[in-house]
Amino acid sequence: MEGFNMWKRLLSFILTITLIFGMTVTTFAASGDINIFVNGKEISNDAYVNEEGKVMVPLRQRAEELGYIVTWDNVEKRVTISNEYNTIHLKIGESSVIKNDKNINMDTKSIIKDGKTFVPIELFSNTLNLILGLDDKHQVLNINQFTNNQEEFFKVSNDTEMTAKLNEYMKALEKNENFHGSILIAKEGSILLNEGYGFANFDQNTLNKTQTKFAIGSVTKQFTAMAIMQLSEKGLIDVNDSLSKYLPDFPNGDLITIHNLLTHSSGLVNFTELMEFYTLSSNNQTPMDILNLVKDKPLIFKPGEKFSYNNTNYLILGMLVEQLSNMSYEDYLQENIFNPINMNNTGISYGKNNGLHDATAYSGYLEVVPIDDEVLLRGAYGAGNMYSTTEDLYRWSEALKTEKLVNKDTMNQIFKEHIDMEGVGSYGYGWMIIDSEVGKIILHGGNTLGFTSSISRVVDLDLTIIVLSNVGYYDTTTLVNTLTSIALGGVHELPEALTEIEIKDADLYDKYIGEYELAPEVICTITREGNRIFAQLTGQEKFEIFPCTEDDFFYKIVDAKITFVKDDGGNVTNLVLHQMGQEISAIKIK
């Protein structure tokens, strides 16, 4: 949601891929001591990593900590773990377990080591139905039980047919397009869909759940805006104040107002578009270190002149929250927003409370690779440093219908259409407001290198859709539109798998070789290597594309397709790039 015309989206796509593959992308493998936390309490570091890279933990200790009774059959070499709901049998040396008479297969066998039974962590995720979060880089394993949702608005909808349709679509998306994440859809105060899909960690075979924590990127902005407006109600700040009132030495601070920051109309340079930001040390940087990268650069436009989405604005607003409240940004949100509305699974990524998301960050599409997202999550601050769950974000959405956090007049200011977003809609304070065929929609998306988020509410129909995914720059716009249509009874098609076909005459590729102009100074270069064909956009690495018809090709590393267009004589004249809901034609120039 951060680009609002064709070229802006295309250039954003180019920048994103460049950043991801220009950084060190490492397949992390846990090694050494792994610090284990069960329900938030640090337990031990007695896990280890086997030769296949699977994290193994001692079964008896972890199961008993979770309230299970563990028994050992020395004759059969079989372990039984049970509570009032489940009975699980597993045999040493086998990769399958029996849960309530149902067989469940795992990727890894249980073993005895140093007199203890060790099992892969996938057993806790997939058999015991616990929430698993593994941070390989920091050697932390979180194991959490589900918490009960006590609020009335978490009641399950009676429309089971609609729930089945929504789940059928998501299951097809999971199977055929490798979707992994969590989805919550609610209508008129009851839940239509609340499910996790795909893997939280592909290497460990652990699953996403309804209470899995994801980094939420720019969805953070609405919380920062709420904090500012709470401080405004207390008389500590006025949206019409100039920035220089709070940062006296800030260049152009007399021209930029708090309102400009809230509405992305400051004219400041966006720090996440500067490559030097990604070279900062993630351990020692402060908000001021990042602000120093941009504060002395000339304004892009006169403050208030127009809308231009910009993370620098909300970096500064987060700093002002700290300055005015005499609290850390993290403590302020916890005390004044999270706690009052029971957002107990929400926090600041890599903050002082050592909060971590559960899902592993990935980049890709049909093929994914783990990505180190720490520099962005630490550096985004008030612009995008939070993690949360779909259920907690639903609590947030429902609270916005009340006066639990601010009064009605302030809420109206937050959702007022303050500035036009280039004809697509308007921006309020931390929210986008769009008039659509189904009525007014308030929404916001978030993208990081390894996570994507979206929260959307059709106001008049009281329809809320929350999407969290542990893959960066996922096309949530198309997904939310489709889920909205399904929830409102619209016609839809199930996602189908992209099937690669065999091109028997690889010389056909020679017709496609050349350069195609997508935009000024943006070239798509098509090359051939033997029986393989590659596409390379300006500033990117080259990526292989795969044929699904003779003229249609798809990427596996990103959700994009290329169609080659021929004239009546069979000569290729241009290509069409399909990506992020856009179709961009490029003329062959060489």
Side-chain angles (χ1 to χ4, degrees):
M1 297 298 300
E2 291 157 9
F4 299 98
N5 59 53
M6 184 180 298
W7 306 124
K8 210 168 189 179
R9 282 178 177 269
L10 174 62
L11 294 173
S12 177
F13 168 68
I14 292 171
L15 175 64
T16 301
I17 297 298
T18 301
L19 287 174
I20 290 172
F21 291 94
M23 297 175 68
T24 301
V25 180
T26 308
T27 302
F28 302 120
S31 60
D33 292 337
I34 300 173
N35 298 308
I36 302 176
F37 293 79
V38 176
N39 293 328
K41 180 181 178 182
E42 187 169 8
I43 300 298
S44 67
N45 56 4
D46 52 6
Y48 76 97
V49 182
N50 68 12
E51 293 178 353
E52 289 78 38
K54 304 295 185 182
V55 177
M56 307 290 289
V57 296
L59 176 60
R60 178 180 292 274
Q61 288 89 337
R62 301 294 82 79
E64 289 180 343
E65 289 156 3
L66 293 162
Y68 283 86
I69 297 172
V70 182
T71 58
W72 166 250
D73 185 333
N74 193 48
V75 175
E76 295 289 333
K77 303 299 181 185
R78 187 184 300 274
V79 180
T80 300
I81 57 177
S82 60
N83 62 13
E84 58 183 310
Y85 305 107
N86 300 301
T87 300
I88 296 104
H89 302 282
L90 64 92
K91 191 170 184 178
I92 302 303
E94 295 184 357
S95 58
S96 63
V97 299
I98 299 173
K99 178 181 180 180
N100 301 336
D101 298 323
K102 180 181 179 181
N103 192 70
I104 300 175
N105 290 316
M106 300 187 297
D107 282 353
T108 308
K109 299 176 182 179
S110 58
I111 69 164
I112 293 180
K113 180 181 173 68
D114 299 329
K116 297 180 180 180
T117 298
F118 280 81
V119 296
I121 60 174
E122 69 173 288
L123 181 139
F124 290 87
S125 169
N126 308 351
T127 303
L128 302 186
N129 195 30
L130 299 169
I131 305 157
L132 270 288
L134 176 66
D135 187 314
D136 299 309
K137 182 177 180 181
H138 296 91
Q139 306 291 276
V140 173
L141 172 63
N142 284 301
I143 304 175
N144 289 296
Q145 294 171 298
F146 280 84
T147 55
N148 294 325
N149 301 316
Q150 304 291 338
E151 298 92 335
E152 172 66 17
F153 50 74
F154 272 102
K155 66 184 178 183
V156 177
S157 172
N158 293 325
D159 193 347
T160 55
E161 182 178 352
M162 178 58 68
T163 296
K165 286 182 180 179
L166 291 164
N167 191 46
E168 179 187 34
Y169 182 86
M170 289 307 307
K171 284 291 187 183
L173 196 68
E174 175 188 44
K175 177 182 178 182
N176 296 325
E177 294 192 19
N178 197 29
F179 176 81
H180 39 287
S182 296
I183 305 286
L184 188 148
I185 303 174
K187 192 171 189 291
E188 298 174 352
S190 60
I191 303 295
L192 285 171
L193 184 69
N194 184 20
E195 295 288 343
Y197 299 92
F199 292 101
N201 187 297
F202 279 78
D203 291 334
Q204 304 299 331
N205 201 36
T206 57
L207 301 177
N208 283 318
K209 306 293 178 68
T210 59
Q211 292 181 7
T212 297
K213 303 181 188 76
F214 299 80
I216 62 172
S218 289
V219 171
T220 302
K221 290 181 174 66
Q222 55 204 248
F223 293 88
T224 303
M226 174 61 74
I228 289 291
M229 297 309 289
Q230 287 179 332
L231 294 169
S232 175
E233 280 193 351
K234 295 174 181 177
L236 298 176
I237 192 171
D238 189 304
V239 296
N240 296 312
D241 289 340
S242 64
L243 180 56
S244 59
K245 180 176 179 179
Y246 307 98
L247 299 178
D249 298 326
F250 192 87
N252 298 302
D254 290 336
L255 303 176
I256 300 169
T257 66
I258 306 306
H259 173 82
N260 294 148
L261 298 174
L262 286 163
T263 57
H264 296 294
S265 58
S266 68
L268 292 167
V269 171
N270 186 357
F271 72 85
T272 55
E273 293 181 1
L274 301 175
M275 291 302 293
E276 51 263 43
F277 163 67
Y278 297 90
T279 63
L280 290 174
S281 170
S282 61
N283 293 324
N284 301 318
Q285 66 185 2
T286 66
M288 186 55 71
D289 291 332
I290 296 169
L291 191 57
N292 286 337
L293 296 176
V294 301
K295 72 174 187 178
D296 294 320
K297 294 184 181 296
L299 294 175
I300 300 172
F301 55 83
K302 181 180 177 182
E305 185 176 76
K306 63 179 181 178
F307 171 90
S308 182
Y309 193 89
N310 184 342
N311 290 305
T312 304
N313 296 318
Y314 277 75
L315 170 79
I316 296 172
L317 290 170
M319 294 170 65
L320 295 183
V321 170
E322 295 191 334
Q323 178 180 325
L324 296 170
S325 68
N326 292 317
M327 301 171 69
S328 71
Y329 176 76
E330 182 173 3
D331 286 343
Y332 182 90
L333 294 187
Q334 192 70 52
E335 182 174 319
N336 295 278
I337 298 179
F338 303 159
N339 289 345
I341 57 177
N342 299 320
M343 294 182 69
N344 298 320
N345 289 317
T346 301
I348 301 301
S349 296
Y350 305 104
K352 72 170 191 174
N353 296 324
N354 297 316
L356 291 171
H357 42 269
D358 296 317
T360 299
Y362 290 97
S363 171
Y365 174 46
L366 300 179
E367 296 176 348
V368 297
V369 292
I371 182 101
D372 187 352
D373 217 355
E374 184 172 354
V375 64
L376 185 55
L377 294 179
R378 282 186 182 274
Y381 294 99
N385 66 348
M386 280 175 51
Y387 66 82
S388 190
T389 67
T390 52
E391 292 184 353
D392 266 10
L393 290 177
Y394 182 49
R395 290 184 171 92
W396 161 250
S397 178
E398 290 298 294
L400 296 176
K401 301 175 185 177
T402 72
E403 295 186 60
K404 291 181 179 179
L405 299 174
V406 290
N407 64 42
K408 185 177 180 180
D409 289 341
T410 301
M411 198 69 76
N412 289 338
Q413 276 293 101
I414 290 172
F415 291 112
K416 184 178 179 180
E417 299 178 30
H418 289 291
I419 191 165
D420 180 66
M421 297 189 304
E422 302 180 18
V424 172
S426 301
Y427 203 86
Y429 289 164
W431 288 88
M432 300 172 184
I433 303 103
I434 295 175
D435 292 322
S436 73
E437 295 178 355
V438 296
K440 178 187 283 187
I441 301 176
I442 56 174
L443 74 160
H444 210 289
N447 290 311
T448 74
L449 300 178
F451 292 94
T452 310
S453 62
S454 173
I455 179 170
S456 170
R457 179 154 60 94
V458 183
V459 177
D460 294 336
L461 301 178
D462 195 13
L463 173 67
T464 301
I465 297 179
I466 300 167
V467 177
L468 300 180
S469 176
N470 52 320
V471 64
Y473 291 85
Y474 187 85
D475 182 9
T476 55
T477 301
T478 300
L479 176 56
V480 170
N481 289 342
T482 301
L483 293 175
T484 300
S485 177
I486 296 172
L488 298 180
V491 178
H492 67 282
E493 295 181 358
L494 293 179
E496 296 183 353
L498 289 169
T499 304
E500 181 183 353
I501 66 169
E502 180 183 359
I503 300 293
K504 295 182 179 179
D505 180 12
D507 290 340
L508 174 70
Y509 290 160
D510 291 337
K511 296 182 179 181
Y512 304 139
I513 292 172
E515 295 182 357
Y516 301 77
E517 186 175 34
L518 282 162
E521 300 183 7
V522 182
I523 304 298
C524 180
T525 303
I526 304 298
T527 56
R528 172 187 172 185
E529 294 181 13
N531 294 333
R532 303 165 68 195
I533 187 170
F534 295 81
Q536 183 174 20
L537 271 66
T538 302
Q540 286 189 19
E541 295 182 22
K542 65 180 179 182
F543 299 106
E544 186 172 4
I545 53 177
F546 303 85
C548 51
T549 73
E550 190 174 281
D551 297 323
D552 298 292
F553 294 75
F554 63 93
Y555 290 84
K556 292 183 180 179
I557 195 65
V558 69
D559 186 6
K561 302 178 182 68
I562 286 177
T563 298
F564 293 98
V565 180
K566 300 173 183 174
D567 61 20
D568 293 338
N571 300 307
V572 177
T573 58
N574 60 294
L575 64 74
V576 178
L577 174 65
H578 311 264
Q579 199 261 338
M580 295 291 285
Q582 300 287 336
E583 292 187 357
I584 307 171
S585 182
I587 297 175
K588 191 174 186 180
I589 58 175
K590 197 182 280 190

